[in-house]
Amino acid sequence: MSGSINISRENTLPGAAARVCPHCKSILNNYTHSQSLFMACASCSHYIDYNREQPKLTKFEYGIKPAPSIEIGKTGIIKGVKYKVVGYVYWNEYNTHYYWKEYILFNPLKGYLHLSEYMGHWILLQMTDDHPRKNLYKHAINLEYKEREYKLYNRYHAEAVYAVGEFYWDILGEDPQLHEFIDPPHALVYEKSDIRVAWFKAEHVDRKEVKKAFEIQDYLMPGQYGYGMLQPFMSSWDLKAVNTITIALCLVLVVIQFLFIATAGREIVFNRTFPLEDTTGLRTFVSERFKVQGGPLGYTNLEVEFESNLDNDWAEATITLVNEETDEEYYIDIGAEYYYGSDGDGTWSEGSRSDSRFIAKVPEGYYHIVVTPAADKLAWGKDFSLKILRDVPTNFNFFISILLLIMIPIGLYFLKSYYEKSRWENSDFSPYSYE
């Protein structure tokens, strides 16, 4: 065994020293040199405690020995720093069927990192002295720390059931209880045993980053299932930014709508009165031609206004707008009804003497209309007027656009709520109800 590591550059890693497994005599690569007093032999599945005069051996009795996805000795770049994988532990939560893998990463200047994987979700942990007051952990459900609120997600005891490599602490000689406080994609983890107390800062790591960092083959990458404890909701979306952008776009639409209203022409292109006669014969009127001027793109909208001096009766008309150059036709039905009277509660009225319809997109050109009126017998002898206006402001597109815009943050809110509820489903401290 060599002495302490002498190295000055964080991305230059030392070579391995060699130890011999006391049980099977296999060579054990000791990358951290004297910093590791505990090792696990892959050949005979024995755990070796060198922190005593005579090494103590403990056999891993767990039947299955899951292979690590990242082999011992492999190097990878994490946040610009080169780390070497020096240890691998397969953990079990006491009295449950929950198992997860943990990789011990080492850099001689930066120290140790822990890379944890559960159901394809990866978490990076680093021991820290920068943490909340220690007396907060015992009964805390929430932690307020550096303007972030961390909620208790899990509290459990962990047991190492298999391991390979080297370790700076006794993974079998402790009975650690862990308290995980989360504020995705970050967490604070409190670990307490009879031997030591430690705090870790944790954060979610995308599986693609892990795969790239350690050049892991596809077949070795574990599949991803469910929702990770720290996995962010749609990491490419910042919900606060979405809300801000939505409000800004709504204000832009309001300004644009005001400009449309202020600059709209509302030009009258046709205005004529038609008689309401005996309509049993379905009399038809054909108007004179009129010009419809298009907008900047050669199109405009039209509003058809119907008005009649109705008196406890109704009237309507079927109108065909005909383009005289292309013979293209546009059909609308328009009409009104108006009734009034009095009863024991006083006077009353219902309906209207006028109506209007829009034609959204009409090309520039010459047109005429064909009008077929119909009316109640009481309306015979009266008349109705038809007025056609071009370039008319309408609020329909404005309100549809506003509705579509606000549906984005509303939809994301409900998706996030579902996501968070699913995330907390495996927690004993979930704030959600699952009945």
Side-chain angles (χ1 to χ4, degrees):
M1 181 179 73
S2 66
S4 61
I5 301 171
N6 182 14
I7 191 166
S8 59
R9 290 182 298 166
E10 64 184 28
N11 279 347
T12 301
L13 301 177
R19 277 178 168 160
V20 178
C21 174
H23 183 264
C24 68
K25 309 306 178 185
S26 296
I27 300 298
L28 306 178
N29 289 323
N30 182 204
Y31 296 101
T32 63
H33 296 229
S34 59
Q35 297 192 48
S36 293
L37 297 175
F38 308 93
M39 301 193 73
C41 178
S43 299
C44 64
S45 299
H46 275 83
Y47 177 75
I48 309 151
D49 178 0
Y50 288 102
N51 193 27
R52 55 186 68 232
E53 291 185 7
Q54 293 296 324
K56 177 185 176 182
L57 280 74
T58 304
K59 175 74 171 179
F60 287 114
E61 299 295 344
Y62 186 67
I64 301 175
K65 299 177 176 59
S69 300
I70 313 173
E71 62 188 50
I72 302 298
K74 199 161 189 178
T75 60
I77 304 295
I78 302 292
K79 296 184 177 180
V81 179
K82 182 182 288 186
Y83 286 89
K84 185 182 291 290
V85 180
V86 299
Y88 161 73
V89 189
Y90 193 58
W91 294 99
N92 168 242
E93 181 181 337
Y94 277 172
N95 300 320
T96 72
H97 296 290
Y98 295 117
Y99 295 86
W100 67 97
K101 297 178 179 179
E102 183 175 9
Y103 302 87
I104 314 304
L105 315 180
F106 176 72
N107 176 280
L109 294 183
K110 295 294 185 178
Y112 290 95
L113 287 180
H114 296 240
L115 183 61
S116 175
E117 179 268 316
Y118 175 67
M119 295 182 68
H121 300 279
W122 298 82
I123 295 175
L124 194 66
L125 304 97
Q126 186 169 32
M127 191 179 296
T128 179
D129 293 326
D130 182 14
H131 53 75
R133 297 195 312 271
K134 293 182 179 179
N135 65 341
L136 288 179
Y137 86 92
K138 293 183 179 179
H139 303 290
I141 298 298
N142 296 336
L143 287 182
E144 296 284 346
Y145 180 63
K146 290 192 173 180
E147 299 183 353
R148 301 183 72 104
E149 181 181 12
Y150 296 85
K151 298 179 180 179
L152 181 62
Y153 183 86
N154 212 347
R155 182 189 294 145
Y156 59 91
H157 287 267
E159 174 188 20
V161 294
Y162 179 66
V164 176
E166 57 191 273
F167 310 96
Y168 64 90
W169 83 105
D170 188 358
I171 62 174
L172 292 187
E174 302 181 11
D175 179 21
Q177 185 183 45
L178 292 95
H179 304 245
E180 296 169 339
F181 299 89
I182 72 170
D183 180 22
H186 303 282
L188 291 172
V189 180
Y190 180 84
E191 181 178 320
K192 182 179 184 298
S193 70
D194 295 335
I195 299 174
R196 68 182 185 131
V197 170
W199 281 89
F200 294 84
K201 288 184 177 179
E203 62 181 290
H204 168 82
V205 183
D206 190 274
R207 65 194 307 269
K208 293 179 182 178
E209 294 182 27
V210 176
K211 184 178 184 296
K212 180 180 179 181
F214 292 97
E215 299 179 344
I216 306 172
Q217 297 297 317
D218 290 337
Y219 73 93
L220 290 174
M221 282 295 291
Q224 192 172 82
Y225 306 94
Y227 301 91
M229 182 178 75
L230 298 184
Q231 183 181 5
F233 170 70
M234 299 177 68
S235 56
S236 60
W237 290 82
D238 183 333
L239 294 185
K240 291 183 178 179
V242 170
N243 291 337
T244 301
I245 293 172
T246 299
I247 293 172
L249 289 177
C250 287
L251 291 175
V252 170
L253 285 177
V254 169
V255 173
I256 292 174
Q257 181 66 9
F258 274 118
L259 290 176
F260 279 155
I261 293 173
T263 58
R266 288 190 61 85
E267 176 190 356
I268 299 173
V269 297
F270 179 85
N271 189 7
R272 177 176 165 182
T273 300
F274 297 88
L276 286 171
E277 301 174 348
D278 182 351
T279 58
T280 56
L282 296 178
R283 182 178 178 185
T284 297
F285 300 92
V286 179
S287 77
E288 66 277 11
R289 73 189 318 221
F290 54 90
K291 175 72 179 291
V292 173
Q293 186 72 37
L297 300 178
Y299 293 89
T300 186
N301 68 347
L302 296 179
E303 181 182 16
V304 180
E305 294 182 351
F306 176 101
E307 188 169 358
S308 177
N309 54 344
L310 298 173
D311 187 14
N312 276 320
D313 44 29
W314 60 268
E316 62 183 23
T318 298
I319 300 173
T320 304
L321 176 70
V322 182
N323 186 313
E324 296 189 346
E325 298 170 3
T326 65
D327 290 329
E328 186 174 4
E329 298 179 343
Y330 304 85
Y331 299 93
I332 61 171
D333 289 311
I334 193 169
E337 56 181 356
Y338 182 73
Y339 299 93
Y340 63 92
S342 60
D343 54 26
D345 295 326
T347 59
W348 58 269
S349 65
E350 63 180 18
S352 173
R353 292 188 172 97
S354 61
D355 192 13
S356 64
R357 293 287 187 273
F358 277 91
I359 303 177
K361 188 177 180 182
V362 175
E364 180 176 332
Y366 286 93
Y367 291 83
H368 67 264
I369 60 173
V370 180
V371 182
T372 304
D376 183 77
K377 287 184 178 182
L378 295 175
W380 293 356
K382 299 177 183 178
D383 53 37
F384 67 95
S385 65
L386 286 178
K387 185 186 295 184
I388 301 178
L389 303 92
R390 63 167 290 276
D391 191 19
V392 179
T394 172
N395 292 325
F396 179 78
N397 291 334
F398 168 72
F399 285 118
I400 289 297
S401 300
I402 291 290
L403 179 62
L404 291 176
L405 276 176
I406 64 176
M407 286 301 294
I408 295 174
I410 291 174
L412 288 176
Y413 170 80
F414 283 107
L415 281 175
K416 187 175 189 298
S417 296
Y418 173 79
Y419 188 94
E420 290 299 326
K421 187 174 181 179
S422 300
R423 181 205 305 281
W424 283 87
E425 195 167 7
N426 292 325
S427 170
D428 293 332
F429 305 93
S430 174
Y432 300 95
S433 173
Y434 298 91
E435 296 179 357

